[in-house]
Amino acid sequence: MKAPDLTVSTERPPPALSVSSFVSSFDRFAVTPMLVVIAADLGVSLSASVTAASGYYLAYGLSQPLWGLLSDRFGRVRVMRAALLGAALAGLVSALMPVLGALVAARIVAGACFGAVIPTGLTYVGDTVRASVRQRALTDLMAAASLGTALATGVGGVIAGLLHWRVAFLVPAACALACAVALRSLPEPPRAAGARGMGRYLGAVLGHGWALLVFGLAFVEGAILLGVMPFLATALEHAGFAAAVAGLAITAYGLGLWALSKVVKRLVGRWSPPVLMTVGGAQLCAGFAIVTVHVSLPTVAVTALLLGGGWSFLHSSLQTWATSVVPQARGTTIAFFASALFVGSAVASWAGGPLADHGRYGLLFGLAAGAAVPLTVVAALARRRYGALSAAAPQPQPE
């Protein structure tokens, strides 16, 4: 079935969408520099406190298929507003929880609710921006999210060190409530005609071989980058640095993502997607290789900067691919893409917890650097093949 032409001439996402993405990223990354502080305050081990992050990521990922199906069925804006209201409540509850188990439960709910925001926002851009300039709009949305990441890793550590880690959960909760109100003015794009049952959306996506490959790549990328990156802060704290200092060092990730996403925006159309993916994957590998050799403030800051660049080049290319592979069920496709990404991150953070507990950061970062190589090779070659087949097809894919 062919999706209707919903695109417009704009190359930028709506401001309310960008702010919501900013808040979602802030909430997701604020916990990174606070894990050691939370463990000490609640009297648990570091590997136990990591479950507050891995549980969040797991819920964030596993909730994606549901959000995608609901957005295809009921609308993008409606789903985002409902999810932001739930995230605001879960954030408030997170700040009040007295024991780790209750905190983890609250963070799981927060992750599930915030999980709707960025993927549905990406889908909204896919619905409303024409394919030729879509990656530019997506990089703008990613830049907004990266600013949230940068502030979260820096401000989260400062708040935990100077005030209390619970305060860091209240800030995004209040902002989520404000975003839910602001999104009322965002117009709802019309949805694709033809596939009215959610089961048909699901079948269209899960029966598409290229979509399944993109999901697999997202899983590995999430495991390597999002699953291992939080341990950069704990590695510094194990080396004797305060949570605020460790968080400020990781801020380089968000700053690198923001700056290099601007570079990617200029390169779209000049460099092919496989080339962009290769450059991004090389940055991931180089970044983790540096901290495999030595962990210090300078090496962690450089690594965080390179990881931001890797995300800008590799991830933006993967998510642009995901917006086009099954256009008649775009919301469901993006949802499964994000699900794979964050389930991968949850698995990796859970598996890396015991290594971090024993201070074996060299092994942890070395495994991430090594895994980045096959990810990059497979992603670039597969995207090149997909492009060649699409160009040779009798009829172009609907956009």
Side-chain angles (χ1 to χ4, degrees):
M1 76 200 71
K2 183 172 181 177
D5 184 7
L6 312 176
T7 58
V8 295
S9 60
T10 181
E11 296 182 17
R12 293 183 178 276
L17 205 61
S18 296
V19 174
S20 298
S21 297
F22 172 93
V23 173
S24 178
S25 286
F26 187 99
D27 187 77
R28 189 164 71 250
F29 285 97
V31 73
T32 298
M34 302 191 303
L35 293 173
V36 173
V37 176
I38 291 174
D41 188 50
L42 297 182
V44 299
S45 66
L46 174 61
S47 60
S49 72
V50 166
T51 59
S54 59
Y56 183 107
Y57 294 150
L58 187 63
Y60 192 107
L62 291 178
S63 67
Q64 298 303 315
L66 175 61
W67 293 125
L69 289 166
L70 290 175
S71 77
D72 275 338
R73 182 66 180 85
F74 298 108
R76 319 304 186 198
V77 179
R78 185 182 299 178
V79 164
M80 282 190 286
R81 292 192 66 215
L84 283 166
L85 290 173
L89 179 59
L92 173 63
V93 173
S94 297
L96 301 176
M97 292 299 96
V99 294
L100 181 64
L103 173 63
V104 170
R107 297 314 294 159
I108 287 174
V109 175
C113 291
F114 269 120
V117 178
I118 293 180
T120 309
L122 295 174
T123 306
Y124 189 97
V125 170
D127 288 342
T128 57
V129 178
R130 65 184 186 274
S132 61
V133 295
R134 187 174 299 152
Q135 188 164 358
R136 296 174 185 172
L138 290 174
T139 54
D140 278 340
L141 195 64
M142 189 170 64
S146 70
L147 286 177
T149 300
L151 283 180
T153 52
V155 175
V158 170
I159 291 175
L162 300 182
L163 297 175
H164 201 281
W165 57 266
R166 297 181 186 277
V167 178
F169 293 136
L170 290 175
V171 174
C175 292
L177 180 60
C179 287
V181 175
L183 284 173
R184 288 184 306 174
S185 61
L186 193 65
E188 186 75 68
R191 297 181 294 281
R196 301 208 176 259
M198 290 193 289
R200 296 185 66 179
Y201 291 121
L202 193 62
V205 172
L206 296 184
H208 199 292
W210 284 111
L212 296 179
L213 175 60
V214 173
F215 301 156
L217 294 171
F219 178 91
V220 178
E221 183 194 32
I224 294 172
L225 181 57
L226 298 181
V228 178
M229 187 179 66
F231 293 108
L232 292 174
T234 63
L236 283 177
E237 292 177 68
H238 264 122
F241 294 94
V245 176
L248 288 173
I250 309 303
T251 300
Y253 167 77
L255 295 176
L257 201 164
W258 177 78
L260 289 173
S261 67
K262 303 297 184 181
V263 175
V264 172
K265 186 176 180 179
R266 292 179 176 272
L267 292 175
V268 170
R270 302 179 186 178
W271 291 11
S272 67
V275 172
L276 293 172
M277 290 176 173
T278 300
V279 173
Q283 290 180 81
L284 292 186
C285 184
F288 281 120
I290 290 172
V291 285
T292 298
V293 176
H294 182 61
V295 173
S296 65
L297 275 177
T299 60
V300 167
V302 171
T303 292
L305 186 66
L306 287 170
L307 297 185
W311 183 267
S312 299
F313 280 81
L314 176 60
H315 183 73
S316 70
S317 300
L318 283 174
Q319 72 182 13
T320 302
W321 188 5
T323 64
S324 301
V325 70
V326 190
Q328 70 270 25
R330 186 175 280 122
T332 303
T333 305
I334 293 298
F336 272 95
F337 176 81
S339 179
L341 184 77
F342 286 97
V343 169
S345 71
V347 170
S349 63
W350 171 78
L355 291 177
D357 240 356
H358 293 88
R360 303 185 67 184
Y361 291 103
L363 175 59
L364 179 59
F365 297 143
L367 289 172
V373 176
L375 168 66
T376 304
V377 172
V378 173
L381 292 178
R383 183 60 182 85
R384 181 179 180 183
R385 177 64 173 166
Y386 175 84
L389 291 175
S390 298
Q395 295 182 351
Q397 292 188 345
E399 283 295 337

